Amino acid sequence: MSQIDPLPPLRDVIDSHGIAARKSLGQNFLLDLNLTSKIARIAGDLSGCDILEIGPGPGGLTRGLLAEGARKVLAIEKDSRCMAALDEIAQIYPGRLQVINGDALEIDPLQYLTPPIRIAANLPYNVGTELLVRWLTPKEWPPFWTSLTLMFQKEVAERIVAQPGSKAYGRLAILAQWRCDTRIALQLPPEAFSPPPKVHSAVVHLTALPEPRFPADPKKLEQVVARAFNQRRKMLRAALKGVAPDIEDRLIASGIKPTDRAETVGLEQFCALTRNLSAG
C-alpha cells in the first residue's frame, strides 16, 4: 500500500483508538488508503471545492480527500470514539479539516461550507438512502452541491442508475435521474471492508444538472411516483386510483397505457403525467 500521508495505516489507527466498527451505527470501515484515494479522485478536481463527508469513521476517505487536494473537508461523525483519530488528521492538514461530532440528519452543513461544494462519503448503511433523498429533493434547484460521490450497498447503487423494465427501477431511479447524471463508478467486494459486510458495495457518482431533464412539479412527481411504485404489480389505473377521477384519460394523454405497470414507465412519461395532473 502506498503512503498518502505521514499518518499510520488505518488498521493501526483503529487498534490504537479502540474504534471497533459498530453494527448499530451501520459502520463498515474501508481500510485500503489506495482505494479511498481512488474514490476521492472519482469526485473530480477537489482543489477549489469544499467537501461534505458524512460518517468518516477513522478517516480513511477523509485522508484521501485531503491528499487529493480538497480545499476543505467538513466531516460529520456521530461516533465520539472517532474524534481523536480525526483530530490527528486535522493536525497534518492544518485549517483544511473541520470535524463535527453529531447527527448528519440534524446538522445544516451550509453554516460551515463555501461553494462550490461536493459531497463524498462512505455512507453509514442505516441513513444512506434517507440522506440521498434529502439531497435530491431540496426546495430549490440547483442544490447547494455540484456532485455526490457516495458508497452504498450494491443493491442501492443499482436502484439509483436503473432503467425502466429492470427489477431495480423505482422511485430512487426517478428522483436521481430527473435532476442528475448518474453512474456506478466503482464496485467493491465485502473483503475490502472491516468488518466485511454481507453484501457487495458500489460507489455512485451523481452530477447535478442545471435544470431537471423534464419540467414537473417536484412534490407532485414525488407523490405520483411513490404511489405508483408502492403497488408495483398493479396496473397504473389501479395504483393511481384516487389521484384524479379521470386518471385513465390523464394516463393516456401522457403517453401511458392505463394497463402499464410503474416499472415499465419512463421518467419523461412520469413527468408528463405530473404536468397533466397539475393542469387540473
Side-chain angles (χ1 to χ4, degrees):
M1 184 187 302
S2 61
Q3 191 72 11
I4 65 171
D5 56 38
L7 293 164
L10 280 169
R11 196 173 294 279
D12 294 348
V13 172
I14 289 170
D15 290 343
S16 63
H17 291 287
I19 315 174
R22 287 181 176 170
K23 189 174 182 179
S24 62
L25 295 174
Q27 291 174 328
N28 295 92
F29 299 143
L30 189 58
L31 300 184
D32 188 336
L33 290 172
N34 289 323
L35 277 176
T36 63
S37 293
K38 186 174 184 178
I39 295 168
R41 288 193 291 274
I42 290 170
D45 181 3
L46 308 181
S47 58
C49 299
D50 282 8
I51 311 296
L52 171 62
E53 183 187 7
I54 307 298
L61 180 56
T62 315
R63 289 165 66 174
L65 293 166
L66 290 164
E68 291 297 322
R71 182 175 64 191
K72 174 185 176 179
V73 174
L74 172 67
I76 301 176
E77 176 55 63
K78 192 174 185 179
D79 188 353
S80 59
R81 299 176 304 154
C82 299
M83 292 302 105
L86 294 169
D87 184 60
E88 291 174 358
I89 302 172
Q91 293 177 37
I92 296 295
Y93 296 97
R96 293 175 57 201
L97 173 60
Q98 181 177 2
V99 182
I100 298 177
N101 185 196
D103 188 337
L105 296 172
E106 300 173 358
I107 293 170
D108 177 11
L110 292 181
Q111 297 180 51
Y112 311 96
L113 297 169
T114 302
I117 299 165
R118 299 180 187 268
I119 300 177
N122 175 11
L123 290 173
Y125 283 167
N126 52 0
V127 297
T129 303
E130 182 176 354
L131 283 168
L132 175 61
V133 171
R134 285 191 184 193
W135 291 328
L136 291 173
T137 56
K139 291 182 179 179
E140 297 181 357
W141 195 271
F144 72 87
W145 48 270
T146 60
S147 70
L148 308 172
T149 306
L150 305 172
M151 177 94 69
F152 289 103
Q153 297 179 45
K154 185 181 176 184
E155 178 186 338
V156 176
E158 289 173 342
R159 284 164 52 199
I160 294 168
V161 303
Q163 296 299 306
S166 66
K167 290 183 179 180
Y169 181 67
R171 172 174 173 259
L172 205 54
I174 288 175
L175 292 181
Q177 296 172 36
W178 182 46
R179 289 170 155 172
C180 301
D181 285 331
T182 66
R183 65 184 177 96
I184 292 178
L186 182 65
Q187 298 190 39
L188 296 169
E191 53 268 25
F193 299 85
S194 177
K198 295 180 180 180
V199 295
H200 283 66
S201 300
V203 176
V204 183
H205 185 72
L206 301 92
T207 304
L209 298 171
E211 296 179 356
R213 292 187 193 281
F214 309 105
D217 176 80
K219 287 187 177 180
K220 182 73 74 174
L221 181 62
E222 285 185 61
Q223 291 169 356
V224 168
V225 169
R227 192 154 182 167
F229 284 99
N230 191 43
Q231 304 181 67
R232 294 176 69 97
R233 295 182 182 179
K234 283 192 174 183
M235 297 177 187
L236 280 173
R237 66 184 177 196
L240 298 178
K241 185 179 180 181
V243 171
D246 55 346
I247 190 61
E248 285 204 32
D249 293 339
R250 291 179 184 269
L251 286 165
I252 293 168
S254 306
I256 303 169
K257 295 178 182 177
T259 54
D260 283 345
R261 291 172 171 79
E263 56 267 33
T264 67
V265 176
L267 170 61
E268 186 173 6
Q269 292 170 300
F270 269 118
C271 289
L273 176 59
T274 300
R275 293 195 302 274
N276 191 296
L277 291 167
S278 297

